[in-house]
Amino acid sequence: MHIREVKTAKKVADVVLQTNKNINQKIRFNFTIDNKRARTQGGIVYLIVVNNIIYKIGYTRAKSGISSAMVSYQGGLGGSPSLRTFAIHLLIYYELEKDNVVEIYAIFSDVIKGTIKGLFKEHENVSIYPSHEMENLCRKDYFSVEHSYPLWNYKENRKDFPKEIQIEHAKHISVQKAK
C-alpha cells in the first residue's frame, strides 16, 4: 500500500545510514517533527515506509513517545535485542544499502480518560493509551485492501524472519552472553 493512501499519518522521521562507525548501530533516525511532539506519550501507531510503500505497522506506548520507540530499532544491534528489533534494524539497513528511501510515519491519538476496574474497585479518570487498538484497526484496514499484512509484519503474516537474520541474531546473543 502506498503511503499516500493513508489519510491519518504524518511523516515523523527520515532513516539514514549511521556515519559514526564507532557505535553499534547501522541506522539513525532524523526526526522531522519538533522534539516535544516526538517525545509526547499517547496512542501512537508507526508505519515504516520504504520508497513510499508501507512495510511495517507497529505501535508504541513508550513514555517518551515515538522517538523512544524508534531508538529501540536504532540500537537494534546493541545489548540483547529481541529478534524482532534486531531484524527490523537489519531490514531497514539492507534497504538503505540499496539506496532506497526509508521513512517513519505516525498516527497520533490523544490520551483518553476513563474508568478502569482494578482488583478491589473502579479507578476513575485513568489515562488510557489506545495504541494497540489503533494498530489492530490499521492492520485490519490494510488487510481489507491488500489481503495480507505489510511485508515486515512477519508475525501477522505467519512467517518467520529470514533465516540469515535469525542466524545473525543467535550469534549476536551468544556474543552478548559471553561478555
Side-chain angles (χ1 to χ4, degrees):
M1 177 180 294
H2 199 284
I3 190 61
R4 76 172 166 256
E5 295 177 49
V6 178
K7 306 300 181 205
T8 56
K10 175 180 181 164
K11 181 179 169 185
V12 297
D14 294 304
V15 190
V16 296
L17 291 170
Q18 177 60 268
T19 55
N20 182 352
K21 301 298 181 191
N22 295 326
I23 61 176
N24 200 16
Q25 300 170 350
K26 294 181 178 287
I27 61 173
R28 185 179 75 242
F29 293 83
N30 291 336
F31 284 91
T32 57
I33 59 173
D34 67 82
N35 198 37
K36 182 179 179 190
R37 185 60 171 155
R39 297 189 178 282
T40 300
Q41 186 179 18
I44 303 170
V45 168
Y46 61 85
L47 310 171
I48 300 176
V49 176
V50 178
N51 294 337
N52 296 311
I53 303 299
I54 299 170
Y55 273 44
K56 172 134 181 80
I57 297 173
Y59 80 97
T60 183
R61 289 184 182 145
K63 289 191 179 195
S64 297
I66 187 71
S67 65
S68 178
M70 292 303 109
V71 164
S72 67
Y73 285 137
Q74 182 170 299
L77 302 183
S80 297
S82 69
L83 175 57
R84 179 188 55 86
T85 300
F86 186 88
I88 296 298
H89 181 98
L90 285 181
L91 290 167
I92 291 171
Y93 171 71
Y94 297 155
E95 293 300 326
L96 292 170
E97 281 284 294
K98 293 187 268 186
D99 288 326
N100 289 328
V101 175
V102 181
E103 301 166 309
I104 306 300
Y105 284 74
I107 302 168
F108 296 96
S109 177
D110 294 329
V111 175
I112 299 167
K113 296 290 186 176
T115 301
I116 303 287
K117 292 180 182 179
L119 290 176
F120 308 111
K121 66 177 185 171
E122 289 186 353
H123 301 268
E124 296 179 4
N125 206 29
V126 176
S127 295
I128 302 168
Y129 302 93
S131 310
H132 192 247
E133 294 76 10
M134 291 169 52
E135 179 198 30
N136 286 338
L137 290 172
C138 290
R139 286 193 323 237
K140 184 178 177 182
D141 289 345
Y142 186 98
F143 193 90
S144 73
V145 173
E146 299 294 330
H147 308 292
S148 68
Y149 296 103
L151 183 64
W152 292 351
N153 280 81
Y154 285 90
K155 179 180 169 186
E156 292 81 5
N157 283 315
R158 293 186 167 88
K159 293 185 177 183
D160 293 330
F161 286 104
K163 196 55 124 179
E164 56 275 7
I165 290 178
Q166 292 181 47
I167 292 167
E168 285 300 312
H169 181 255
K171 286 181 193 174
H172 178 81
I173 296 301
S174 177
V175 168
Q176 293 302 314
K177 286 182 180 178
K179 287 183 180 180

